[in-house]
Amino acid sequence: MNEIQELKDRRDQLLSEAERLHAELLPLEALLESEEPIEPDRKRELWDKYNELKRNFDSRNNNADLLDRKISRRENLANCDSLMAGYIEAMDNWTADEQELNEKRQSLSTRLAQIQQQAVEDMAKARQAETDAATAYAQAVAWGDTEGEETANADAQKAAKNLTAAAEHNRRQTLMMTALEQELVTVDKYIAEAQEKHKGIERTALWLSQTVLEEQWNEAAKALFEVGGKLWANYSLLGLDQVGLMKLAVPEEGENFGKWTWHELSDRSRQYTARDLVQLKSLSIPQQPVDVSNLKQRKDERNEQAATEQRELV
């Protein structure tokens, strides 16, 4: 944290200097932009002074910005565990919100479909009843069925009243459907917002993950070149060439954008003597994982070979 504080102090110092330079720039800008005549030599002198101040001002601002990014990166690295835990919790919360909203949307959609279907069925049923009553009335008149005519007429009047009631009910259902559709629009908006929030936090978390992975990459690269330096020294002491290693180039990630090449191996190799390289205890040899299937295969092959040899002897 002391290193981060030193960077902050340096950044604040640069910003303070930039502010001072800006204060010196303002009167020069006003003078150069004024309509008052200025002698050419004097004007050239003012422009030279202005440009020099402007370069220094821009330089300090740019350096302060670079330091600010470095500070932010190192603070993120120092607090990566707590930051990532917060991001994951926030993403889980937004995922839960989206799931709840989707459930509400499903409920609204189901209810809307039910009301729409019921409205269509009720109107169709009321119209069909009126049509059936009219048909029955016409048939009764055609066959001279006075009693049937009276019954059909009564049924037609009843069907007309039912159709009017159904139309009013349909009007109320239409209002309900409109309200449900509007609520669906609102829920869809909330779902989109939840998805957007989740995506934004996920992207921030991925930036943090990238920073951590870059540092892990750099540490792994340094470990590789540590071993590579010893290998280079070993080759040199044996009088062997290092053609294969000379093809090595590993990019450095994070704050710097360079790369490690065979020059790094050569530089590191100079610190090792033959005595250093023969200290086998300092060389950690990774254990190869045991492949059970290969062991069994080799055992079967040996058994088969032994059986073949036995048959040949017989």
Side-chain angles (χ1 to χ4, degrees):
M1 293 300 291
N2 291 334
E3 185 180 6
I4 293 176
Q5 188 57 50
E6 289 175 3
L7 292 174
K8 289 182 177 180
D9 293 340
R10 177 57 181 158
R11 178 200 59 190
D12 295 342
Q13 180 184 352
L14 288 170
L15 291 174
S16 177
E17 292 175 3
E19 186 177 355
R20 176 181 57 79
L21 291 168
H22 185 257
E24 294 181 28
L25 280 169
L26 290 177
L28 286 175
E29 287 181 353
L31 186 59
L32 290 169
E33 291 175 359
S34 68
E35 297 180 357
E36 295 182 5
I38 304 176
E39 294 182 1
D41 292 342
R42 173 61 176 163
K43 190 169 187 178
R44 189 180 309 110
E45 180 183 349
L46 291 173
W47 272 114
D48 290 343
K49 185 176 181 180
Y50 174 84
N51 290 331
E52 182 181 0
L53 288 171
K54 187 68 165 62
R55 280 194 301 271
N56 291 332
F57 170 76
D58 291 340
S59 174
R60 281 160 176 76
N61 267 335
N62 290 334
N63 288 333
D65 183 62
L66 291 174
L67 284 175
D68 201 51
R69 296 180 189 179
K70 186 177 291 188
I71 291 166
S72 177
R73 178 184 178 83
R74 297 191 181 185
E75 286 181 334
N76 285 341
L77 283 171
N79 304 306
C80 63
D81 290 336
S82 60
L83 287 172
M84 190 61 78
Y87 295 149
I88 292 173
E89 182 181 359
M91 285 189 290
D92 289 344
N93 289 339
W94 282 113
T95 299
D97 287 349
E98 183 183 353
Q99 182 177 353
E100 182 180 352
L101 287 167
N102 279 322
E103 291 173 359
K104 290 182 178 180
R105 192 188 193 287
Q106 181 62 39
S107 176
L108 287 169
S109 298
T110 301
R111 182 60 59 86
L112 176 61
Q114 289 173 346
I115 294 176
Q116 287 174 333
Q117 182 179 359
Q118 189 64 44
V120 170
E121 291 176 355
D122 289 347
M123 286 300 296
K125 185 178 180 180
R127 289 192 179 99
Q128 186 62 46
E130 191 177 44
T131 300
D132 291 344
T135 301
Y137 178 81
Q139 291 175 348
V141 171
W143 292 97
D145 184 356
T146 305
E147 185 178 350
E149 182 179 343
E150 291 177 355
T151 301
N153 185 47
D155 289 343
Q157 292 178 1
K158 182 179 178 181
K161 291 179 180 179
N162 288 339
L163 181 60
T164 301
E168 177 60 23
H169 183 60
N170 184 265
R171 184 187 68 80
R172 291 194 298 270
Q173 287 179 314
T174 301
L175 292 175
M176 293 169 62
M177 287 186 288
T178 301
L180 287 170
E181 288 170 350
Q182 184 59 48
E183 192 64 23
L184 276 172
V185 171
T186 302
V187 171
D188 284 341
K189 179 183 177 182
Y190 290 151
I191 290 174
E193 289 177 355
Q195 291 172 341
E196 184 179 356
K197 291 288 187 181
H198 183 281
K199 192 68 176 177
I201 297 171
E202 180 184 70
R203 188 169 180 80
T204 302
L206 286 173
W207 279 114
L208 177 59
S209 175
Q210 176 181 313
T211 300
V212 174
L213 289 172
E214 285 174 346
E215 289 304 304
Q216 291 177 349
W217 169 275
N218 291 338
E219 291 302 317
K222 290 175 184 177
L224 172 66
F225 275 83
E226 189 66 33
V227 177
K230 294 178 181 179
L231 185 57
W232 188 284
N234 218 114
Y235 283 166
S236 297
L237 291 169
L238 291 173
L240 303 175
D241 62 55
Q242 299 95 350
V243 175
L245 292 176
M246 291 183 71
K247 299 177 182 179
L248 183 63
V250 178
E252 182 179 3
E253 301 295 336
E255 295 178 4
N256 304 313
F257 297 95
K259 63 181 179 180
W260 292 292
T261 64
W262 65 270
H263 296 286
E264 178 75 15
L265 298 179
S266 178
D267 292 340
R268 286 175 179 268
S269 70
R270 296 189 182 96
Q271 62 183 307
Y272 300 112
T273 65
R275 189 71 176 179
D276 297 324
L277 298 174
V278 298
Q279 301 298 321
L280 296 182
K281 290 183 179 180
S282 65
L283 303 177
S284 59
I285 302 175
Q287 297 295 323
Q288 295 296 328
V290 178
D291 191 333
V292 178
S293 61
N294 285 342
L295 287 176
K296 185 177 185 301
Q297 181 179 356
R298 289 197 295 270
K299 182 178 179 181
D300 292 342
E301 289 174 353
R302 287 197 299 270
N303 293 338
E304 183 179 351
Q305 183 179 0
T308 302
E309 292 173 353
Q310 185 67 26
R311 286 195 297 269
E312 290 175 352
L313 288 175
V314 175

